[in-house]
Amino acid sequence: MSLPENKRLPRWRRRCLRITAALALGGAALTGAAPAGAQPAPAGAQPAPAASAPAAPRPLSETLTGEAKAEYEAARILFNDGDYRNAIIKFERAYELSRDPRLLWNIALCQKNLKRYTRLLATIEQLLRDAGPQLTEQDRKDAAELIEATKAYVSRLDLQASEAGATVLVDGEEVGQTPLREPVLLDIGTRKIRVTKRGFKDVEVSEQVAGGGVVTVKATLEREVHQGRLIVAAPPDAVISLDGRVVGRGTWEGPVPSGGHALRVTASGMASHQSEVMIHDDQTRRVQISLQPLPKDSNLESWIWIGGGVVALTGVVLLSLGAFDGDAPVSGNTSPGSVALSARGGGATFVIPFGGGR
């Protein structure tokens, strides 16, 4: 008795049952095998010539040999255990070794159970290309109906990218480069789409795919800028230099390329600060600088600049060493190019030649 119309199996389910049957028969259902429920010929009827009835194809378990057969048997065990991901690997290896297109039905069934509808479509399309005369008209019809039914569970990606040559990934798997030259299909559910290109920031979005339509994604890639931000806080009168260039006084803030930088902070009467500051991409770093007073030298009296040279006078030390012993010049008749200096300690007069001295 047939089910009421609203309880009939959907077309998608009927197609999958055909694939399940193919797997259960060891892949023997690809060509026109005789139906299991065929009635015997009536009594007295002449049997048809043997050539008119095509022989049922031998199942994969009998036609495959060697490593291909071992991979196939391992795949069936994994499938029966519900391990469809690894069953696919074994079925694909068996197909690679044997090139028997019946294995593609089994791969398609694993993909259906994993809800990998886009891959299922690709597998069925490969089956139609590779099977050739091994497919009956009914096989091709079933495959076409399966493809049509599966389209309700996928959507086409319409990617509008600002840069050509960017790599496109869906759920971490590369599907092409911009502009996409082949249609990219997305499985129903939440999909992560990433567009990446060297020298640009990645664009990544999550899209809820309803199936049976088009998903539009706009990817505007921005160039990468390898820089951070540096803030230097120093005393108000301090001069701030970065990499040998004066950038401010007191407090300075600004963008800085990523990497190491030489920071120098100076102020009158204070010991200078010098250090290396490391800046990372998109980092904001704050550096607080405190300067310390220079130590005082009690023996230093003064600095005298003479004609581009500097003479340091330390009167007490010079006198004690007798560095200027000798005759005093005639009063009022000093030689050209000399300067008379009086030492405070002992009343002596010193003459330091310079310029055009003798």
Side-chain angles (χ1 to χ4, degrees):
M1 183 176 67
S2 62
L3 294 172
E5 188 62 26
N6 61 347
K7 294 184 179 179
R8 291 183 186 276
L9 289 174
R11 179 181 298 176
W12 161 260
R13 181 60 177 162
R14 295 201 303 272
R15 299 285 74 76
C16 289
L17 287 176
R18 285 184 181 273
I19 300 178
T20 305
L23 181 63
L25 294 173
L30 249 183
T31 59
Q39 298 294 324
Q46 295 295 325
S52 63
R58 295 165 61 195
L60 286 168
S61 58
E62 296 180 10
T63 59
L64 296 177
T65 60
E67 186 181 350
K69 181 175 181 178
E71 294 289 339
Y72 168 72
E73 296 296 347
R76 293 191 66 186
I77 293 173
L78 292 169
F79 181 90
N80 291 331
D81 287 342
D83 188 357
Y84 306 119
R85 286 181 173 82
N86 288 319
I88 287 178
I89 296 173
K90 292 295 186 180
F91 279 134
E92 287 178 341
R93 178 58 178 161
Y95 177 70
E96 179 184 344
L97 294 168
S98 68
R99 309 309 294 181
D100 192 319
R102 292 178 294 176
L103 289 162
L104 296 174
W105 279 119
N106 300 340
I107 294 172
L109 180 57
C110 292
Q111 291 166 338
K112 175 263 173 187
N113 288 340
L114 291 171
K115 298 180 175 60
R116 297 177 178 175
Y117 302 113
T118 58
R119 296 188 183 184
L120 186 153
L121 286 174
T123 300
I124 297 302
E125 289 171 354
Q126 182 182 2
L127 171 68
L128 293 173
R129 292 192 306 269
D130 296 354
Q134 298 185 54
L135 288 178
T136 66
E137 287 302 317
Q138 184 60 48
D139 291 332
R140 293 186 179 277
K141 182 179 179 181
D142 289 344
E145 290 181 354
L146 180 57
I147 290 174
E148 190 63 29
T150 306
K151 289 180 180 179
Y153 298 88
V154 300
S155 292
R156 182 175 62 84
L157 173 63
D158 176 20
L159 179 64
Q160 302 171 10
S162 61
E163 293 291 329
T167 301
V168 183
L169 300 98
V170 177
D171 295 335
E173 181 178 350
E174 183 176 340
V175 296
Q177 290 192 334
T178 58
L180 295 173
R181 304 187 184 280
E182 300 292 336
V184 173
L185 300 179
L186 306 174
D187 287 328
I188 192 172
T190 302
R191 307 271 73 87
K192 290 185 178 180
I193 301 163
R194 183 159 64 96
V195 183
T196 179
K197 184 177 181 179
R198 187 174 182 179
F200 293 82
K201 295 181 180 180
D202 290 356
V203 173
E204 184 170 331
V205 296
S206 294
E207 291 288 338
Q208 188 67 34
V209 180
V214 177
V215 175
T216 301
V217 174
K218 293 183 179 180
T220 302
L221 282 77
E222 299 179 358
R223 288 194 175 275
E224 286 184 336
V225 179
H226 296 287
Q227 70 176 25
R229 196 164 190 84
L230 177 63
I231 303 173
V232 180
D237 60 341
V239 176
I240 302 170
S241 300
L242 193 65
D243 298 328
R245 183 173 64 90
V246 175
V247 294
R249 183 183 293 272
T251 299
W252 178 83
E253 175 180 354
V256 178
S258 299
H261 298 274
L263 174 65
R264 182 177 174 83
V265 180
T266 60
S268 178
M270 309 295 283
S272 63
H273 167 92
Q274 188 164 326
S275 63
E276 184 178 13
V277 180
M278 183 64 66
I279 301 295
H280 300 286
D281 288 356
D282 302 321
Q283 176 193 27
T284 297
R285 181 167 182 181
R286 183 181 180 88
V287 179
Q288 183 76 40
I289 303 298
S290 297
L291 299 180
Q292 300 298 322
L294 283 170
K296 294 183 178 180
D297 187 352
S298 58
N299 293 326
L300 183 63
E301 285 196 355
S302 60
W303 292 88
I304 300 179
W305 294 82
I306 305 176
V310 179
V311 178
L313 300 181
T314 309
V316 175
V317 175
L318 293 177
L319 288 175
S320 64
L321 293 177
F324 296 103
D325 288 346
D327 297 334
V330 178
S331 177
N333 190 25
T334 57
S335 61
S338 63
V339 177
L341 298 177
S342 298
R344 299 173 182 172
T349 301
F350 310 117
V351 177
I352 302 177
F354 71 96
R358 295 177 301 199

